[in-house]
Amino acid sequence: MQNDVQTQTQQSVQPLHTEQTTCCIVGAGPAGAVLALLLARQGIPVVLLEEHMNFDRDCRGDTIHPSVLQIMDQLGLADRLLTIPHAEMHSMSLDASDGPFTLADFRRLKTRFPFIAMLPQVHFLEFITTEAKRYPNFRLVMGARVEKLLEEDGYIHGVRYRAQDGWHELRATLTVGADGRFSRVRKLVGFEPIQTAQSMDVLWFRLPRKANDPTEPAGRIGGGHILIMLNRDQDWQMGYVIPKGGYQKLRAAGLPALRREISQLLPTWAEPERMDTIQEWKQVSILSVESSRLPRWYRPGLLLIGDAAHVMSPVGGVGINYAIQDAVVAANVLTEPLKVGKIRLSDLAEVQRKRELPIRIIQGFQNFMQQRVIANVLVSVVNFNEPLKISPLMRFFIKLPLVGTLPARLIAFGPVQVHLKQ
Ligand SMILES: Cc1cc2nc3c(=O)[nH]c(=O)nc-3n(C[C@H](O)[C@H](O)[C@H](O)COP(=O)(O)OP(=O)(O)OC[C@H]3O[C@@H](n4cnc5c(N)ncnc54)[C@H](O)[C@@H]3O)c2cc1C
């Protein structure tokens, strides 16, 4: 028996066209696009639905971590991916008053890719979907907004989506919700994430990069704020960490006040040709920092992965990495069942079981950093002249061979390194 919502919908909206596939993936972000490629190369019929007409959304993070590069290498794609213009982040450091402090040095890791590639996400997604298109069993539909799930007898049998030419129905053995932090699929199945209170928000904007600027990312702390600078080749991607809810106050103070605050944190960059490029609030996006995870990622016929299953805080910039790792684990576990066209609930549960612990560990680490370190900075450092000092013990630990590489390993690979099975 179909559920009531679905029956009503069918009466009011007749689909234009009905199609059958094996795996329907909602959302062509990092998680959905990579999963689509991995299944397509196994010969599994896959349809990837993306609500936007292109991949060009600003400020979504451009970090391709060593673990993702290793997975690309397993696919024989890493060298080609790295021909796309990108910058390389070899370490994460802070300018403290008692000298620079390197929290994570990726060069100390045993990997062919001891760096985070700062590669525009739009190019990454275009690259992955272009690869997937080489397989005739893969189809990408852009401008396809999923609005309904097809549910019969408690089993999700696919989706109904709206495209430019009207409604379509896509029936599938498995539906994957990879539709990000505001997941529509998650809402449609009524799953409620467990939220952890967060004390900060982040403003994102760009500043021009000059030829003699450093290449490595950097961080500055002062005036109750943290400023992060990430090299995006032509520009700096700036992340300005503010206390939660502080955006309205900042906006009321106006853009000149924001430019002044940034200039105080970065006096050497205070020249008008750099700072005055921020002219309108629409150049500044606000990321409301969230950290949450679903108690359950699946229902019969449906799996949620990536931000749809767990929204990651920006601490360490690991959201893309973890979303792609979910995709790899989902492909490892589900390829064989999809080949025979039968997905059991226990297969879907296995994906969650394999991913849940790493997610909980990294979210715990992020929450610790946020509550113990970042929140203290935001609250207590109220004076721009107040120096940030790193304790000698911390400096000692970070130099140790094994313990000292822990932050770099956690950021680069996560608590568990994920490999592609086949
Ligand atoms: C401002 C900002 C900066 C960030 N910086 C970083 C960073 O530096 N490093 C990092 O690792 N992470 C960063 N993140 C987090 C990172 O973007 C996410 O963790 C990552 O993109 C999650 O990937 P995903 O594929 O699960 O979801 P998303 O990337 O959100 O992709 C979801 C896709 O689904 C599509 N979609 C949504 N609804 C529908 C629908 N109904 N029908 C069809 N399609 C739909 C969306 O258009 C989107 O393309 C940042 C996030 C933000 C907001």
Side-chain angles (χ1 to χ4, degrees), residues 6-7 25 55 99 123 129 143 147 151 156 238 275 284 311 328 368 374 408 411:
Q6 185 52 35
T7 311
I25 302 175
F55 297 118
H123 296 153
T129 49
E147 297 197 4
E151 182 180 345
I156 305 297
M238 312 291 290
M275 286 300 158
V284 181
V311 178
V328 173
F368 172 82
I374 298 171
I411 293 167

Side-chain angles (χ1 to χ4, degrees), residues 211-282:
N212 53 353
D213 281 350
T215 53
E216 291 292 312
R220 295 277 193 289
I221 298 182
H225 294 121
I226 299 173
L227 186 64
I228 296 149
M229 295 94 82
L230 303 172
N231 179 352
R232 290 189 92 234
D233 206 24
Q234 303 290 314
D235 303 301
W236 286 101
Q237 173 86 59
M238 312 291 290
Y240 190 46
V241 183
I242 60 172
K244 192 136 209 88
Y247 177 65
Q248 287 313 329
K249 206 170 131 202
L250 211 70
R251 216 174 147 139
L255 275 178
L258 176 66
R259 286 197 293 262
R260 251 191 330 271
E261 284 185 17
I262 307 292
S263 302
Q264 278 177 295
L265 278 167
L266 269 175
T268 50
W269 288 19
E271 66 270 17
E273 67 270 24
R274 185 123 59 177
M275 286 300 158
D276 288 357
T277 55
I278 317 169
Q279 283 298 328
E280 296 177 83
W281 280 106
K282 69 174 188 211

Side-chain angles (χ1 to χ4, degrees), residues 27 29-31 50-52 57 59-60 63 144 146 204 287 307 317 319-320:
E50 168 55 47
E51 73 170 321
H52 290 92
R57 270 140 286 143
C59 284
R60 295 265 306 281
T63 49
V146 169
W204 290 98
L287 167 65
D307 271 19
I320 296 168

Side-chain angles (χ1 to χ4, degrees), residues 195-207:
Q195 306 267 358
T196 316
Q198 300 294 300
S199 56
M200 64 181 198
D201 287 332
V202 185
L203 294 189
W204 290 98
F205 53 92
R206 300 218 182 137
L207 286 181

Side-chain angles (χ1 to χ4, degrees), residues 253-372:
L255 275 178
L258 176 66
R259 286 197 293 262
R260 251 191 330 271
E261 284 185 17
I262 307 292
S263 302
Q264 278 177 295
L265 278 167
L266 269 175
T268 50
W269 288 19
E271 66 270 17
E273 67 270 24
R274 185 123 59 177
M275 286 300 158
D276 288 357
T277 55
I278 317 169
Q279 283 298 328
E280 296 177 83
W281 280 106
K282 69 174 188 211
Q283 290 169 264
V284 181
S285 3
I286 170 95
L287 167 65
S288 171
V289 171
E290 243 188 69
S291 176
S292 65
R293 65 187 164 78
L294 286 179
R296 194 179 161 117
W297 298 18
Y298 57 90
R299 269 189 56 178
L302 177 84
L303 175 69
L304 290 152
I305 60 168
D307 271 19
H310 48 76
V311 178
M312 309 299 279
S313 133
V315 175
V318 294
I320 296 168
N321 190 11
Y322 278 66
I324 292 175
Q325 290 188 349
D326 286 358
V328 173
V329 169
N332 284 347
V333 173
L334 301 176
T335 291
E336 289 312 315
L338 282 170
K339 277 184 179 169
V340 294
K342 198 157 173 52
I343 293 281
R344 293 166 309 174
L345 207 56
S346 57
D347 298 323
L348 303 176
E350 192 182 336
V351 177
Q352 174 174 354
R353 197 173 56 247
K354 287 202 150 103
R355 290 301 294 148
E356 195 166 10
L357 187 62
I359 301 288
R360 287 175 89 139
I361 292 175
I362 195 78
Q363 286 190 335
F365 167 75
Q366 290 178 316
N367 288 339
F368 172 82
M369 291 295 288
Q370 217 214 120
Q371 282 156 18
R372 297 292 165 83

Side-chain angles (χ1 to χ4, degrees), residues 1-13 151:
M1 198 180 74
Q2 290 193 326
N3 76 10
D4 290 347
V5 179
Q6 185 52 35
T7 311
Q8 273 174 19
T9 314
Q10 272 183 338
Q11 281 162 2
S12 53
V13 200
E151 182 180 345

